Amino acid sequence: MGFLSVLSFAHKLAAERLKSSGIAVDATAGTGADTLILAKAAGPRGRVFAFDIQQEALELTRRRLMKEPSERLAEVSLFQDSHSNMQAHIPAEYHGKISVIMFNLGYLPSEQADKKIITSSDSTLPALEASLKLLSPGGIVTIVVYPGHEGGGQEAAAVEAWASALPQRTAQAIVYRGLQRPNAPFLIALERKKPL
Ligand SMILES: C[S@@+](CC[C@H](N)C(=O)[O-])C[C@H]1O[C@@H](n2cnc3c(N)ncnc32)[C@H](O)[C@@H]1O
């Protein structure tokens, strides 16, 4: 049967934490797969905020959501902006109340996409800092990192170093990784402890 893939494990962690009527963030909407999973898990009384810098990604996400019966999904707000600005877009009433924030780094996995547009530690690390401020105690951040593409190794190392240096009273950090394939994607997940 094998172990869960990195993405499936991130989805499992997210689904376990995000209760019906919960609040979640997709920090890298991409094709909308994660946004949809969050919107289903939060349900019609929940809220999801999704970010991407590319118009194409938000269009793909919007189309994916529209294929689903809207009465089964959380209200989803899409923002074409960097995830490093997420705090400014998410209403203050939700700060400190978010159960799950998902990051799936790298490039937009669609045929037409410019694969040179990738996430970068310059904005990923500020976005992760912002995430810690937005999470509820017990809330989680999942970060799927891709060391295999150009620039991805540097970003993966920066995220791993940042997460490793977090005080344990702030967050617990874990990694889920295949040991025999050093360039394969891996997952870093954080669980928020006390408020900052
Ligand atoms: C691997 S894809 C995400 C995949 C997506 N979660 C899915 O389910 O299809 C990474 C996305 O991050 C986006 N991105 C790059 N820099 C960003 C930034 N600073 N803020 C938000 N999104 C960014 C890219 O445009 C790309 O669509």
Side-chain angles (χ1 to χ4, degrees):
M1 182 177 136
F3 293 113
L4 286 177
S5 73
V6 160
L7 282 176
S8 298
F9 192 55
H11 293 156
K12 178 177 158 59
L13 292 178
E16 281 170 2
R17 292 300 158 118
L18 186 56
K19 302 281 175 261
S20 170
S21 78
I23 306 154
V25 174
D26 185 352
T28 51
T31 65
D34 296 337
T35 308
L36 178 60
I37 281 172
L38 294 171
K40 281 183 175 168
R45 296 193 309 153
R47 283 297 304 266
V48 175
F49 301 92
F51 296 85
D52 205 291
I53 51 171
Q54 297 192 70
Q55 174 65 34
E56 183 192 345
L58 296 177
E59 205 41 58
L60 289 168
T61 300
R62 194 172 287 119
R63 268 190 251 146
R64 194 190 283 270
L65 293 170
M66 278 172 63
K67 286 187 194 146
E68 299 291 323
S70 59
E71 64 276 12
R72 296 210 195 133
L73 300 183
E75 183 183 339
V76 179
S77 306
L78 303 177
F79 298 99
Q80 188 177 357
D81 196 358
S82 173
H83 39 220
S84 55
N85 297 324
M86 65 169 82
Q87 261 183 297
H89 293 289
I90 296 172
E93 66 190 280
Y94 298 122
H95 293 193
K97 299 194 175 136
I98 295 176
S99 306
V100 175
I101 303 181
M102 297 188 80
F103 288 76
N104 189 348
L105 303 178
Y107 52 77
L108 176 59
S110 82
E111 257 176 42
Q112 290 81 21
D114 178 351
K115 307 277 191 303
K116 293 202 179 65
I117 303 176
I118 55 172
T119 52
S120 148
S121 57
D122 292 347
S123 48
T124 304
L125 296 185
L128 288 169
E129 290 284 353
S131 298
L132 288 178
K133 298 194 175 108
L134 292 167
L135 279 184
S136 60
I140 61 165
V141 182
T142 64
I143 314 145
V144 177
V145 298
Y146 295 79
H149 64 257
E150 206 183 326
Q154 184 275 339
E155 184 181 36
V159 172
E160 197 173 355
W162 174 85
S164 305
L166 283 174
Q168 288 186 55
R169 65 178 183 282
T170 301
Q172 182 188 10
I174 61 159
V175 66
Y176 181 70
R177 178 172 207 168
L179 291 178
Q180 294 107 327
R181 293 168 57 223
N183 284 333
F186 64 98
L187 172 72
I188 294 171
L190 311 174
E191 183 186 57
R192 187 77 178 88
K193 299 295 177 192
K194 286 189 220 143
L196 288 176

